[in-house]
Amino acid sequence: MLFRSSAVFATSPDTFHEWVLAGAGASTLIVFAVALQNFFVQPPTLSRPQRLFQDISILVGVTHALALLILDSPSSTWSWVGIVMYGASLALFLSAIEAARRVPLTRTFVYSPRVDKILTSGPFRLVRHPIYLSYSLAWAAAPVAKQSVVLGITAAVMIACYLVSANEEERVLANGPRGAEYRALAARTWRLIPFLY
């Protein structure tokens, strides 16, 4: 079974791999939070749906952080899979940020100001939404490592939100002033997952 329906509680991580998993998860969430405040452009005021998404993201982040501390992993193998997922997420996120360092990217569900440059370097050469892919890997890491149905549901909700936002961003870009360039990029790259989607 992919996710356990009931988790075994612990007082804190009690093995090396569980401490590494908790550290990997905390590091990834901290980097995301710092980048949201310092890298991404946001409007002066958020709409109600944008505020709701932000609040849900914080709630899910806190839930996942607590789960990493209090839930036992069913095996060290699952912990190491989660650690690798966090590492891949962080590496992808940082490489995407580096590739976009001179381009004002907006937060999820914020579609203006519109990007006036189409990104084609770094991970953007293969995937049009590498930041959403990195977020998705991070949200999926805890439910995989802890084999938790509840965490799996929260991860699925977050990933669904990124898919909705990616679709809207693509619509905005394809109909914007650089639409032809963006449509050409879309024809030769993957939306979110290389070789799959």
Side-chain angles (χ1 to χ4, degrees):
M1 180 159 71
L2 185 56
F3 297 111
R4 294 183 302 172
S5 58
S6 62
V8 177
F9 287 90
T11 55
S12 67
D14 57 358
T15 62
F16 175 73
H17 60 84
E18 287 183 345
W19 277 109
V20 173
L21 177 66
S27 300
T28 303
L29 293 174
I30 289 168
V31 168
F32 288 171
V34 169
L36 282 173
Q37 294 303 314
N38 298 312
F39 182 78
F40 293 93
V41 176
Q42 71 175 19
T45 59
L46 296 175
S47 69
R48 183 174 290 169
Q50 292 164 345
R51 175 65 66 185
L52 177 64
F53 178 75
Q54 179 177 292
D55 293 345
I56 289 172
S57 298
I58 291 168
L59 180 62
V60 171
V62 169
T63 301
H64 281 229
L66 289 174
L68 291 173
L69 291 174
I70 65 172
L71 297 180
D72 279 334
S73 296
S75 73
S76 64
T77 302
W78 287 116
S79 291
W80 288 111
V81 170
I83 291 163
V84 168
M85 291 174 73
Y86 280 125
S89 169
L90 198 52
L92 180 60
F93 182 78
L94 293 173
S95 66
I97 293 294
E98 175 62 23
R101 71 176 180 257
R102 292 183 181 91
V103 178
L105 296 180
T106 57
R107 290 181 173 204
T108 308
F109 293 116
V110 178
Y111 306 118
S112 60
R114 293 180 180 173
V115 175
D116 61 353
K117 180 180 179 188
I118 304 299
L119 295 167
T120 58
S121 62
F124 292 94
R125 286 183 305 227
L126 294 174
V127 179
R128 296 188 299 278
H129 302 281
I131 293 173
Y132 288 161
L133 176 56
S134 71
Y135 291 161
S136 298
L137 279 169
W139 291 128
V144 167
K146 299 298 182 176
Q147 297 288 288
S148 167
V149 172
V150 172
L151 294 179
I153 291 168
T154 61
V157 168
M158 296 303 295
I159 293 167
C161 289
Y162 297 131
L163 291 172
V164 169
S165 189
N167 285 335
E168 183 59 19
E169 286 176 19
E170 293 204 353
R171 187 191 67 74
V172 169
L173 289 168
N175 294 315
R178 303 190 76 169
E181 183 183 351
Y182 189 77
R183 289 189 296 275
L185 174 70
R188 67 178 188 270
T189 58
W190 301 95
R191 176 175 285 164
L192 199 65
I193 305 170
F195 310 108
L196 292 176
Y197 175 71

